[in-house]
Every structure is written in structure tokens, then in C-alpha cells.
């Protein structure tokens, strides 16, 4: 049994943190599902920027949609939905067999809406309706403006992948927004079964402080934060508030570990996969990390539900002047900016490709 199969047997889902038209057309995604236990995938503006920039497979569609008068943003969402609908259909059998626990794909609202609650709500509803697939998550950032949009979207029955969460505080805000949306549905006589995941970004913590921490603390911060979040997650699921919702038929908002590719060339390429093994959670991996873990990864201990040594490790970082609360806010802000920059590059790429294609009409 290879490592990916062992993870699945332990109850942790493996999702692919990537999508390209090539992956869909050449059978690679189907092979990942069949051979590597992949049961879902995630996308973001950076992933689509790379996919469209580095492939000619989108060119005919870009040319045709431009001739139809579509703007670059509208054109992008059509391209993205074409890919994600095809992926959702590949995962549909898994989605149905697991009663909605697995088999999901994710599409992010425009990152330019990160500080706009009302337009995020409208965009989430519109994209979900356009896809017409029950196993499509709409990604909404867990920013100050995103939190109320998450609650409203859940209340409206839109499945939500909450993205750009870095800390326990970020996670709890997203979890409470999810529960409030479900509570409102119950009060309104609506079905409480609306799915959600909360995506905790891990490796960016270690990249941010690599030059500030002593060698013995390298690549320890992200894992310590993840352990703290996992402890809060387990406590929340045991709370009377959640138990009441579960009794009414609601499904838990699952934890998803994101940003799990190792950025440090001196660290193991499976570092974050091996450290974040936990039943009923998800680890979304870029292709390189997925393949490395399948080849030589080890499934060792599962994450401690009590947080393990997380507070001791975080105290060690505090002694070298790493304030995790301040850093979490900074990382979320930088994450929003990075996705906005990728979005701008994506729209520019589509415009540039179209200009080139016009020369050959």
C-alpha cells in the first residue's frame, strides 16, 4: 500500500492543488484519481494564471470568446468553469459515493472583491449557479469583508471553501460564520446540509520568518500553527453548539491544509504532508508534492487532538520576537495582494494572447 493509499485509509482526503486543461485532456487527473487516491482539487488565480500563460490549449477558446465580445474577466470565468465542470464530472461518482464529503472542485471569486462583502455574495451565487454542479465549492477569502459573505453564502445554500486562513483566530471566525449560516437555514426551515471547508495555509509561515528564526526553529512555525488550529477544530466539534447543529443534520466544516509544498530546499519535500496527517481533514497538494509523497512519503503519527507541543513551539518563536498574531494578519494581507496580482497578470495574459491571435486571423 503506497503512502497516498495509507492516508486515505486513515480518513484524510487528498486533493490536488492544481488544474490545467492539459491535466484534463491527457488523462493525468484521471490517473491521479485511480492510482494516487486523489478525491478532489483546488484552484486559485495563480494556478489559472500559470495554466493559461504556459499552454496553447486555451488559445482557440480565447479567440472565439473574444469574437463573441466577452470581456477578459468574463472570458476567464468561462474558461475556468469549462475546466472545473469537466473536473467536477470526473469527481462526481466520488462525491455521490461519499455523500458529499469528497469529490469537490473549487473556484475562487475575483480577488479584487476581497474587501467587498456585497459583491462577493453576488459573485459567489452567480458562479455557483453558472456551474450547475453540486460538487463545486466557491472560494471566499476569510478577510474582514469575507466573513459576512461566507455566512450569507452558506445561508443561500452556496458551498464555500474559505481560503486565506492563517491563524486560529482566522479559522474560528470562518467556523462561526459557517455555523451562523447553518443556524439561519434551520430557523428558516431550510436544509442544514450545506458543505464547507476551511483552508489553513501552512508553509507561508515558515517562508516569512526563515531569516528571523534560529536554525532549530526552521520549518516549525507553520506546523505549530496547524496543530493549534486542529485543537480548536476538535474542541469546536465537541461543543454543545455544534452538536446541536449536527443533530439537526448539518455536516462539519472540514479543515483543509493548504500551501503544503515545501519551499525550503533543505527540508523534506514531504514535510508538511507527513506532519499534517489527521482523520477527517483534507490535504491539498501540488503535483510535485503529491508525486513525491506517493513515491517515498511516510505515514507516521497522526496530529494530536490536544495540540501537542504547539504552544511550546510558539512560545519559542515569541522569545525570538515572532508575534504570530501580527504575522497572521500580515500573511493574510499579502495573500490577498498576491492573488490580486495574479489576477491582474491573468487578465493581461488573456488580453495579450488575444492580441497575438488576432494577427493570425
Amino acid at each position: 500500500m503506497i503512502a497516498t493509499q495509507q492516508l486515505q485509509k486513515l480518513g484524510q482526503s487528498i486533493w490536488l492543488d492544481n488544474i490545467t486543461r492539459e491535466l484534463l485532456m491527457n488523462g493525468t487527473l484521471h490517473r491521479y484519481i485511480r492510482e494516487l487516491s486523489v478525491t478532489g482539487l483546488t484552484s486559485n488565480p495563480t494556478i489559472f494564471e500559470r495554466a493559461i500563460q504556459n499552454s496553447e490549449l486555451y488559445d482557440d477558446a480565447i479567440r472565439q470568446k473574444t469574437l463573441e465580445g466577452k470581456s477578459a474577466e468574463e472570458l476567464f470565468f468561462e474558461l475556468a468553469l469549462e475546466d472545473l465542470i469537466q473536473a467536477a464530472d470526473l469527481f462526481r461518482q466520488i462525491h455521490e459515493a461519499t455523500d458529499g464529503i469528497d469529490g469537490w472542485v473549487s473556484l475562487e471569486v475575483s480577488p479584487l472583491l476581497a474587501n467587498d462583502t456585497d459583491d462577493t455574495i453576488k459573485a459567489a451565487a452567480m458562479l455557483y449557479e453558472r456551474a450547475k454542479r453540486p460538487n463545486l465549492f466557491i472560494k471566499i477569502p476569510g478577510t474582514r469583508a469575507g466573513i459576512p459573505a461566507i455566512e450569507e453564502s452558506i445561508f443561500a445554500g452556496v458551498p464555500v471553501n474559505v481560503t486565506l486562513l492563517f491563524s486560529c483566530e482566522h479559522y474560528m471566525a470562518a467556523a462561526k460564520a459557517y455555523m451562523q449560516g447553518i443556524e439561519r437555514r434551520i430557523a428558516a426551515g431550510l436544509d442544514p446540509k450545506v458543505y464547507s471547508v476551511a483552508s489553513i495555509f501552512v508553509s507561508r509561515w515558515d517562508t516569512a520568518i526563515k531569516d528571523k528564526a534560529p536554525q532549530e526553529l526552521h520549518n516549525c512555525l507553520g506546523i505549530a500553527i496547524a496543530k493549534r488550529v486542529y485543537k480548536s477544530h476538535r474542541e469546536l466539534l465537541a461543543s454543545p453548539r455544534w452538536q446541536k447543529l449536527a443533530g439537526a443534520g448539518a455536516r462539519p466544516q472540514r479543515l483543509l491544509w493548504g500551501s503544503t509544498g515545501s519551499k525550503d530546499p533543505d527540508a523534506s519535500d514531504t514535510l508538511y504532508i507527513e506532519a499534517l496527517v489527521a482523520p477527517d481533514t483534507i490535504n491539498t497538494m501540488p503535483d510535485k508534492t503529491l508525486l513525491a509523497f506517493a513515491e517515498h512519503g511516510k505515514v507516521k503519527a497522526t496530529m494530536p487532538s490536544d495540540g501537542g507541543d504547539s504552544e511550546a513551539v510558539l512560545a519559542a518563536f515569541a522569545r525570538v520576537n515572532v508575534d504570530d498574531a501580527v504575522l497572521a494578519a500580515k500573511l493574510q494581507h499579502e495573500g490577498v495582494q498576491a492573488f490580486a496580482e495574479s489576477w491582474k497578470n491573468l487578465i493581461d495574459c488573456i488580453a495579450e494572447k488575444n492580441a497575438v491571435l488576432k494577427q493570425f486571423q
Side-chain angles (χ1 to χ4, degrees), residues 190-205:
L190 300 171
D191 185 354
K193 192 186 291 185
V194 181
Y195 292 86
S196 179
V197 297
S199 298
I200 314 300
F201 284 41
V202 184
S203 68
R204 295 190 189 187
W205 283 95

Side-chain angles (χ1 to χ4, degrees), residues 98-170:
T98 60
D99 193 24
I101 292 173
D102 257 319
W104 292 91
V105 303
S106 296
L107 174 63
E108 191 152 348
V109 297
S110 166
L112 303 183
L113 301 179
N115 297 311
D116 189 328
T117 300
D118 290 343
D119 282 350
T120 295
I121 295 167
K122 294 173 186 174
M126 179 271 292
L127 291 171
Y128 184 61
E129 172 59 27
R130 283 178 63 181
K132 299 189 185 304
R133 294 297 186 277
N135 54 330
L136 176 81
F137 275 130
I138 302 300
K139 293 180 82 171
I140 298 176
T143 56
R144 186 183 297 274
I147 293 299
I150 292 159
E151 179 185 336
E152 288 299 324
S153 296
I154 291 296
F155 176 63
V158 176
V160 175
N161 177 339
V162 185
T163 187
L164 288 176
L165 302 176
F166 287 90
S167 68
C168 199
E169 291 73 21
H170 290 168

Side-chain angles (χ1 to χ4, degrees), residues 261-315:
S262 179
K263 309 297 192 296
D264 184 350
D266 296 325
S268 165
D269 53 2
T270 59
L271 170 70
Y272 297 107
I273 312 306
E274 294 178 4
L276 302 173
V277 176
D280 303 319
T281 66
I282 303 152
N283 201 316
T284 185
M285 314 175 193
D287 297 64
K288 183 178 178 181
T289 305
L290 171 68
L291 294 171
F293 185 69
E295 181 188 49
H296 56 257
K298 304 293 183 186
V299 177
K300 304 172 185 176
T302 57
M303 293 180 73
S305 59
D306 64 357
D309 63 353
S310 59
E311 295 309 318
V313 173
L314 293 171

